[in-house]
Amino acid sequence: MKNLVHIVKQIASLSPTDTFQRVIALIVKKHKYARLASYHAKTTTYFSSEAFKQSNISKEPIVKMPLLDYILPHSLNIQTLADNYSQSLFTILGSGWVDYSVQETNHIARIRTEINEKNREESERIISVLLKSPFYPDQHAQCIHYYPIDWQYDCKSGYKWNAHTHYTHIKYGDIAGQDIKVPWELGRFQHATTLAFAAYLAYSGVESAHPKEYYAHIFRTQCLDFIAFNPPHYGVQWKTSMDIAIRAANLLVAFDLFTYCGIIW
Protein backbone atom coordinates (compact mmCIF):
# COMPACT_ATOMS: atom_id res chain seq x y z
CA MET A 1 0.00 0.00 0.00
CA LYS A 2 2.87 2.36 0.86
CA ASN A 3 4.44 1.68 -2.53
CA LEU A 4 1.17 2.51 -4.27
CA VAL A 5 0.85 5.80 -2.36
CA HIS A 6 4.45 6.65 -3.23
CA ILE A 7 3.83 5.96 -6.94
CA VAL A 8 0.65 8.07 -6.95
CA LYS A 9 2.50 10.98 -5.32
CA GLN A 10 5.30 10.70 -7.87
CA ILE A 11 2.85 10.76 -10.78
CA ALA A 12 1.03 13.74 -9.27
CA SER A 13 4.30 15.68 -9.08
CA LEU A 14 5.01 15.24 -12.80
CA SER A 15 3.81 17.35 -15.67
CA PRO A 16 1.53 15.69 -18.26
CA THR A 17 4.44 15.65 -20.74
CA ASP A 18 6.81 13.97 -18.27
CA THR A 19 4.14 11.46 -17.32
CA PHE A 20 3.50 10.59 -20.97
CA GLN A 21 7.24 10.20 -21.71
CA ARG A 22 7.76 7.92 -18.72
CA VAL A 23 4.77 5.76 -19.58
CA ILE A 24 6.03 5.36 -23.15
CA ALA A 25 9.54 4.52 -21.91
CA LEU A 26 8.09 1.90 -19.56
CA ILE A 27 6.03 0.32 -22.34
CA VAL A 28 9.08 0.19 -24.64
CA LYS A 29 11.18 -1.36 -21.86
CA LYS A 30 8.54 -4.01 -21.11
CA HIS A 31 8.25 -4.86 -24.80
CA LYS A 32 12.04 -5.12 -25.15
CA TYR A 33 12.28 -7.41 -22.12
CA ALA A 34 9.46 -9.60 -23.42
CA ARG A 35 11.18 -10.01 -26.81
CA LEU A 36 14.51 -10.77 -25.12
CA ALA A 37 12.99 -13.42 -22.85
CA SER A 38 11.18 -14.97 -25.82
CA TYR A 39 14.39 -15.11 -27.86
CA HIS A 40 16.41 -16.71 -25.06
CA ALA A 41 13.69 -19.31 -24.50
CA LYS A 42 14.19 -20.65 -28.03
CA THR A 43 17.84 -21.65 -27.72
CA THR A 44 20.59 -22.32 -25.21
CA THR A 45 22.10 -19.21 -23.68
CA TYR A 46 25.46 -20.89 -23.01
CA PHE A 47 28.35 -19.95 -25.28
CA SER A 48 29.80 -22.68 -27.45
CA SER A 49 33.07 -24.03 -26.08
CA GLU A 50 34.44 -23.81 -29.63
CA ALA A 51 34.71 -20.06 -29.18
CA PHE A 52 37.37 -20.51 -26.52
CA LYS A 53 39.52 -23.27 -28.02
CA GLN A 54 41.55 -20.87 -30.15
CA SER A 55 41.77 -18.13 -27.51
CA ASN A 56 45.24 -16.82 -26.73
CA ILE A 57 44.98 -16.69 -22.95
CA SER A 58 48.28 -15.89 -21.29
CA LYS A 59 49.50 -18.55 -18.87
CA GLU A 60 51.36 -15.94 -16.85
CA PRO A 61 49.24 -14.48 -14.02
CA ILE A 62 48.65 -10.75 -14.22
CA VAL A 63 47.67 -10.51 -10.55
CA LYS A 64 50.45 -11.56 -8.19
CA MET A 65 50.30 -12.70 -4.57
CA PRO A 66 51.21 -10.17 -1.87
CA LEU A 67 54.32 -10.85 0.17
CA LEU A 68 54.03 -13.87 2.46
CA ASP A 69 54.89 -11.65 5.44
CA TYR A 70 51.56 -9.88 4.96
CA ILE A 71 49.57 -13.13 4.83
CA LEU A 72 51.18 -15.27 7.54
CA PRO A 73 49.80 -13.25 10.50
CA HIS A 74 46.31 -14.09 9.19
CA SER A 75 47.09 -17.74 8.46
CA LEU A 76 44.66 -19.26 10.98
CA ASN A 77 41.76 -17.02 9.93
CA ILE A 78 42.39 -17.72 6.25
CA GLN A 79 42.44 -21.49 6.77
CA THR A 80 39.29 -21.40 8.94
CA LEU A 81 37.41 -19.33 6.38
CA ALA A 82 38.59 -21.53 3.51
CA ASP A 83 37.48 -24.67 5.37
CA ASN A 84 34.02 -23.17 5.87
CA TYR A 85 33.74 -22.09 2.24
CA SER A 86 34.77 -25.57 1.12
CA GLN A 87 31.71 -26.94 2.95
CA SER A 88 29.35 -24.31 1.49
CA LEU A 89 29.23 -22.40 4.76
CA PHE A 90 28.96 -18.63 4.29
CA THR A 91 28.24 -15.57 6.40
CA ILE A 92 26.54 -12.91 4.30
CA LEU A 93 25.61 -9.38 5.29
CA GLY A 94 25.60 -10.19 9.00
CA SER A 95 23.67 -13.46 8.68
CA GLY A 96 26.14 -15.51 10.73
CA TRP A 97 27.43 -18.80 9.34
CA VAL A 98 24.76 -20.47 7.21
CA ASP A 99 24.89 -23.82 5.43
CA TYR A 100 24.16 -23.06 1.77
CA SER A 101 24.59 -26.63 0.58
CA VAL A 102 21.81 -28.38 -1.32
CA GLN A 103 20.88 -31.73 0.19
CA GLU A 104 19.63 -33.21 -3.09
CA THR A 105 22.23 -35.69 -4.35
CA ASN A 106 20.62 -36.40 -7.71
CA HIS A 107 22.07 -33.42 -9.56
CA ILE A 108 20.60 -34.39 -12.93
CA ALA A 109 17.12 -34.45 -11.37
CA ARG A 110 17.77 -30.97 -9.95
CA ILE A 111 18.75 -29.71 -13.38
CA ARG A 112 15.62 -31.09 -14.98
CA THR A 113 13.54 -29.36 -12.31
CA GLU A 114 15.37 -26.04 -11.96
CA ILE A 115 16.89 -25.31 -15.38
CA ASN A 116 14.92 -24.26 -18.45
CA GLU A 117 14.60 -26.83 -21.22
CA LYS A 118 16.99 -25.32 -23.78
CA ASN A 119 19.86 -25.08 -21.27
CA ARG A 120 19.50 -28.51 -19.64
CA GLU A 121 21.76 -30.42 -22.00
CA GLU A 122 24.73 -28.09 -21.46
CA SER A 123 24.02 -27.85 -17.74
CA GLU A 124 24.06 -31.65 -17.46
CA ARG A 125 27.34 -31.77 -19.39
CA ILE A 126 28.95 -29.29 -17.00
CA ILE A 127 27.81 -31.24 -13.95
CA SER A 128 29.12 -34.47 -15.47
CA VAL A 129 32.53 -32.80 -15.89
CA LEU A 130 32.42 -31.77 -12.25
CA LEU A 131 31.42 -35.20 -10.97
CA LYS A 132 33.96 -37.06 -13.10
CA SER A 133 36.90 -35.21 -11.57
CA PRO A 134 36.83 -35.92 -7.81
CA PHE A 135 39.72 -34.89 -5.59
CA TYR A 136 41.60 -37.28 -3.33
CA PRO A 137 44.02 -35.64 -0.82
CA ASP A 138 46.26 -38.69 -1.18
CA GLN A 139 45.99 -42.24 -2.47
CA HIS A 140 44.65 -43.57 0.83
CA ALA A 141 42.13 -40.81 1.57
CA GLN A 142 38.44 -40.72 0.78
CA CYS A 143 37.14 -38.55 -2.01
CA ILE A 144 36.40 -34.93 -1.04
CA HIS A 145 32.63 -34.52 -0.81
CA TYR A 146 30.91 -32.21 -3.28
CA TYR A 147 28.81 -29.55 -1.55
CA PRO A 148 26.58 -27.92 -4.18
CA ILE A 149 25.44 -24.39 -3.36
CA ASP A 150 21.96 -22.90 -3.51
CA TRP A 151 22.74 -19.73 -5.47
CA GLN A 152 19.11 -18.50 -5.48
CA TYR A 153 18.52 -18.60 -1.71
CA ASP A 154 18.03 -15.70 0.71
CA CYS A 155 19.06 -17.18 4.07
CA LYS A 156 17.60 -14.27 6.04
CA SER A 157 14.00 -14.61 4.90
CA GLY A 158 14.05 -18.21 3.63
CA TYR A 159 12.86 -17.00 0.23
CA LYS A 160 14.25 -18.64 -2.89
CA TRP A 161 14.24 -17.23 -6.40
CA ASN A 162 14.01 -19.50 -9.43
CA ALA A 163 16.88 -20.27 -11.83
CA HIS A 164 14.20 -21.15 -14.38
CA THR A 165 13.07 -17.49 -14.51
CA HIS A 166 14.52 -15.11 -17.08
CA TYR A 167 16.35 -12.25 -15.38
CA THR A 168 13.94 -9.67 -16.83
CA HIS A 169 11.12 -11.36 -14.92
CA ILE A 170 12.93 -11.58 -11.58
CA LYS A 171 10.97 -9.63 -8.97
CA TYR A 172 12.09 -8.43 -5.56
CA GLY A 173 10.92 -6.08 -2.84
CA ASP A 174 7.32 -7.25 -3.10
CA ILE A 175 7.52 -9.69 -0.16
CA ALA A 176 8.23 -8.47 3.34
CA GLY A 177 11.65 -9.50 4.62
CA GLN A 178 13.11 -10.81 1.36
CA ASP A 179 16.52 -9.39 0.50
CA ILE A 180 17.84 -10.02 -3.00
CA LYS A 181 21.23 -8.62 -1.97
CA VAL A 182 21.92 -11.84 -0.03
CA PRO A 183 22.13 -14.20 -3.05
CA TRP A 184 23.76 -11.38 -5.01
CA GLU A 185 26.51 -11.13 -2.41
CA LEU A 186 27.07 -14.90 -2.52
CA GLY A 187 27.17 -14.88 -6.32
CA ARG A 188 29.88 -12.22 -6.36
CA PHE A 189 32.42 -14.90 -5.31
CA GLN A 190 34.03 -12.56 -2.79
CA HIS A 191 35.30 -15.69 -1.02
CA ALA A 192 37.30 -16.97 -4.01
CA THR A 193 40.47 -15.04 -3.20
CA THR A 194 40.44 -16.45 0.34
CA LEU A 195 40.61 -19.95 -1.13
CA ALA A 196 43.57 -18.79 -3.23
CA PHE A 197 45.31 -17.32 -0.17
CA ALA A 198 44.86 -20.65 1.61
CA ALA A 199 46.46 -22.38 -1.37
CA TYR A 200 49.36 -19.93 -1.13
CA LEU A 201 49.88 -20.87 2.53
CA ALA A 202 50.14 -24.52 1.49
CA TYR A 203 52.43 -23.56 -1.40
CA SER A 204 54.64 -21.70 1.09
CA GLY A 205 54.99 -24.70 3.38
CA VAL A 206 52.42 -23.99 6.12
CA GLU A 207 51.85 -27.52 7.41
CA SER A 208 48.40 -26.94 8.89
CA ALA A 209 46.96 -26.00 5.49
CA HIS A 210 45.42 -28.52 3.12
CA PRO A 211 47.31 -29.23 -0.13
CA LYS A 212 47.07 -26.32 -2.56
CA GLU A 213 45.30 -28.66 -5.01
CA TYR A 214 42.50 -29.08 -2.48
CA TYR A 215 41.65 -25.36 -2.46
CA ALA A 216 41.96 -25.22 -6.25
CA HIS A 217 39.56 -28.15 -6.49
CA ILE A 218 37.01 -26.33 -4.30
CA PHE A 219 37.33 -23.20 -6.43
CA ARG A 220 36.91 -25.18 -9.66
CA THR A 221 33.96 -27.14 -8.26
CA GLN A 222 32.12 -24.03 -7.11
CA CYS A 223 32.70 -22.33 -10.46
CA LEU A 224 31.30 -25.31 -12.38
CA ASP A 225 28.43 -25.58 -9.92
CA PHE A 226 27.58 -21.91 -10.46
CA ILE A 227 27.75 -22.20 -14.26
CA ALA A 228 25.60 -25.34 -14.32
CA PHE A 229 22.85 -23.98 -12.09
CA ASN A 230 22.90 -20.37 -13.28
CA PRO A 231 22.58 -20.43 -17.09
CA PRO A 232 23.34 -17.02 -18.64
CA HIS A 233 20.35 -14.66 -18.47
CA TYR A 234 18.44 -16.88 -16.03
CA GLY A 235 17.94 -16.56 -12.29
CA VAL A 236 18.75 -13.96 -9.69
CA GLN A 237 22.50 -13.96 -10.41
CA TRP A 238 22.01 -12.30 -13.83
CA LYS A 239 19.71 -9.50 -12.71
CA THR A 240 22.27 -6.70 -12.46
CA SER A 241 25.30 -5.92 -14.60
CA MET A 242 27.21 -4.62 -11.57
CA ASP A 243 27.10 -7.97 -9.79
CA ILE A 244 28.04 -9.79 -12.99
CA ALA A 245 31.10 -7.54 -13.35
CA ILE A 246 32.12 -7.99 -9.69
CA ARG A 247 31.83 -11.77 -10.07
CA ALA A 248 33.95 -11.75 -13.22
CA ALA A 249 36.64 -9.65 -11.53
CA ASN A 250 36.77 -11.88 -8.45
CA LEU A 251 36.97 -15.07 -10.52
CA LEU A 252 39.75 -13.70 -12.71
CA VAL A 253 41.78 -12.48 -9.73
CA ALA A 254 41.37 -15.82 -7.91
CA PHE A 255 42.30 -17.71 -11.09
CA ASP A 256 45.53 -15.72 -11.38
CA LEU A 257 46.37 -16.17 -7.69
CA PHE A 258 45.94 -19.94 -7.95
CA THR A 259 48.09 -19.94 -11.08
CA TYR A 260 50.75 -18.00 -9.17
CA CYS A 261 50.79 -20.89 -6.67
CA GLY A 262 51.65 -23.34 -9.42
CA ILE A 263 48.16 -24.67 -10.08
CA ILE A 264 47.85 -25.95 -13.63
CA TRP A 265 44.32 -25.78 -14.97
Side-chain angles (χ1 to χ4, degrees):
M1 186 64 182
K2 289 182 179 180
N3 288 338
L4 179 59
V5 172
H6 177 69
I7 292 172
V8 171
K9 287 183 177 180
Q10 274 196 320
I11 294 174
S13 67
L14 297 173
S15 68
T17 300
D18 286 341
T19 301
F20 176 76
Q21 289 177 343
R22 293 198 179 195
V23 169
I24 293 299
L26 181 61
I27 292 173
V28 170
K29 181 180 178 181
K30 292 287 186 182
H31 179 66
K32 176 184 176 182
Y33 278 178
R35 288 184 61 190
L36 190 61
S38 176
Y39 171 75
H40 286 152
K42 296 175 182 177
T43 184
T44 179
T45 54
Y46 285 107
F47 280 109
S48 169
S49 58
E50 295 294 326
F52 300 97
K53 287 184 177 180
Q54 302 300 324
S55 60
N56 296 317
I57 299 175
S58 173
K59 295 182 179 179
E60 288 297 319
I62 298 173
V63 180
K64 306 294 177 65
M65 276 287 180
L67 293 174
L68 184 61
D69 289 344
Y70 294 131
I71 297 179
L72 274 179
H74 309 286
S75 173
L76 183 59
N77 285 339
I78 290 172
Q79 291 176 71
T80 300
L81 288 171
D83 284 345
N84 283 348
Y85 297 151
S86 69
Q87 298 176 69
S88 302
L89 296 172
F90 299 92
T91 176
I92 301 174
L93 302 178
S95 66
W97 288 103
V98 175
D99 184 357
Y100 261 82
S101 62
V102 178
Q103 300 306 312
E104 174 63 61
T105 56
N106 189 336
H107 307 300
I108 300 301
R110 273 187 65 208
I111 287 171
R112 292 173 181 172
T113 301
E114 299 181 15
I115 305 302
N116 64 304
E117 181 182 357
K118 296 297 183 179
N119 281 319
R120 285 174 195 160
E121 181 179 351
E122 181 63 7
S123 183
E124 290 179 11
R125 187 190 70 80
I126 294 167
I127 281 296
S128 69
V129 170
L130 186 158
L131 296 175
K132 289 177 181 177
S133 55
F135 177 77
Y136 295 86
D138 58 61
Q139 61 179 345
H140 303 296
Q142 291 185 335
C143 173
I144 297 298
H145 185 65
Y146 164 45
Y147 292 93
I149 295 171
D150 193 341
W151 303 100
Q152 308 291 322
Y153 180 58
D154 169 15
C155 65
K156 290 187 174 181
S157 67
Y159 185 83
K160 180 176 177 178
W161 281 267
N162 194 336
H164 199 285
T165 305
H166 194 266
Y167 79 92
T168 58
H169 296 156
I170 293 287
K171 296 181 179 179
Y172 59 93
D174 54 339
I175 298 178
Q178 77 172 198
D179 189 354
I180 199 169
K181 295 189 299 296
V182 174
W184 279 351
E185 184 68 20
L186 177 63
R188 289 177 175 183
F189 271 83
Q190 308 275 32
H191 64 281
T193 52
T194 301
L195 293 171
F197 286 145
Y200 186 52
L201 291 173
Y203 174 72
S204 302
V206 175
E207 294 183 357
S208 57
H210 295 294
K212 64 181 182 180
E213 292 81 7
Y214 168 81
Y215 300 111
H217 171 77
I218 296 301
F219 173 68
R220 178 180 180 275
T221 296
Q222 291 184 356
C223 288
L224 290 174
D225 181 46
F226 181 92
I227 297 169
F229 286 98
N230 294 276
H233 303 292
Y234 283 89
V236 72
Q237 300 296 349
W238 297 95
K239 182 65 177 175
T240 67
S241 56
M242 181 185 75
D243 288 289
I244 296 169
I246 292 173
R247 175 166 59 250
N250 283 326
L251 292 176
L252 288 171
V253 169
F255 182 91
D256 265 13
L257 294 179
F258 275 114
T259 303
Y260 183 86
C261 297
I263 296 298
I264 299 174
W265 305 98

